[in-house]
Amino acid sequence: MTFRQARPWLVAAVLLFGLGSVASAAPIEIIGASANGNTTEFTIKTQVLIIMTLLGLLPVMALMMTCFTRFVIILALLRQALGLQQGLPNRIVTGVALILTLLVMRPVGEQIYTEALVPFDNEQITLQQALKTAEAPLSRFMLAQTHKGALTQMAQLAGESHITDPTQHGFLVKLSAFVLSELKTAFQIGCMLFVPFLIIDLVVSSVLMAMGMMMLSPLVISLPLKLLLFVLVDGWTLTVQTLVGSIQAY
């Protein structure tokens, strides 16, 4: 595989990382190293190593830079509230979260592809320009989901408390604040989903205690009731609407 053939995959990996803040600070040489003003091309082995390293980090960055974290946590909490630890496998929860993430992040991905990846692949812009272009839509999406308190806290930790415009913060500051905000939002929505099922568990436990049936596990009675309630209110549709609707417009 030549570098020309592998370049789209390399560019997609780099653009997904959102390294616009690095690109704006200094020129980046991905396929060559500068020495005394001359550019020396990396060997094929070095290029393959760079490509495989970036592709290996793609899943981690995709988790942190998209709404996947929010979705998978909420679905995991919903599964626990229903009491379906074994009935709803992790692969199903992860798959549903991934599909919803692709649905929500499609506009951002299409914008990065058309404005950054395609022009760079056609050699219309440089890699530095492509990185800066790709960072803009991703930063807008993250800032729209980020709480002001989280952004202020991470800016203080990074020594950027003097910056008043959120868009001027470094990309790592925005990414850190975005992750904290996603965790907070996921727990808030998860708590709201937990309440009705918790009430059912309390009612069933109280009734069984009053009837003297202390040896009978409340889960045996509450699980069918919770599933029946979830089906009657069309729970999956409401859950998906809640998840997608929790994403702020950017």
Side-chain angles (χ1 to χ4, degrees), residues 68-201:
F68 177 83
T69 302
R70 177 190 304 192
F71 290 168
V72 75
I73 291 177
I74 294 175
L75 291 176
L77 292 176
L78 176 62
R79 178 181 62 180
Q80 186 173 357
L82 286 171
L84 294 175
Q85 285 80 2
Q86 302 298 327
L88 197 60
N90 289 329
R91 293 183 179 180
I92 300 298
V93 174
T94 304
V96 173
L98 181 58
I99 292 175
L100 294 178
T101 301
L102 294 176
L103 176 65
V104 173
M105 298 298 299
R106 183 179 60 180
V108 179
E110 290 178 349
Q111 188 173 359
I112 292 176
Y113 178 79
T114 57
E115 297 181 2
L117 178 58
V118 173
F120 177 75
D121 192 49
N122 295 332
E123 299 182 354
Q124 299 174 355
I125 59 177
T126 63
L127 177 60
Q128 183 178 355
Q129 294 172 334
L131 291 172
K132 189 175 182 179
T133 303
E135 182 194 8
L138 195 58
S139 295
R140 286 197 301 268
F141 171 80
M142 292 193 299
L143 287 176
Q145 323 307 322
T146 302
H147 299 288
K148 293 183 179 180
L151 184 60
T152 302
Q153 178 184 4
M154 300 312 301
Q156 291 177 350
L157 294 177
E160 297 184 3
S161 56
H162 61 281
I163 300 178
T164 57
D165 187 1
T167 60
Q168 299 301 320
H169 285 293
F171 188 80
L172 289 179
V173 174
K174 290 182 284 189
L175 177 58
S176 303
F178 170 73
V179 172
L180 291 180
S181 300
E182 288 293 283
L183 293 175
K184 180 180 179 180
T185 303
F187 285 171
Q188 289 175 342
I189 299 177
C191 288
M192 290 189 297
L193 294 176
F194 238 103
V195 171
F197 303 111
L198 179 61
I199 294 176
I200 293 178
D201 287 333

Side-chain angles (χ1 to χ4, degrees), residues 2 19 33 47 49-50 60 73-74 92 117 131 185 190 221 229:
T2 64
L19 296 179
Q47 294 178 16
L49 177 61
I50 295 174
V60 178
I73 291 177
I74 294 175
I92 300 298
L117 178 58
L131 291 172
T185 303
I221 307 299
L229 174 64

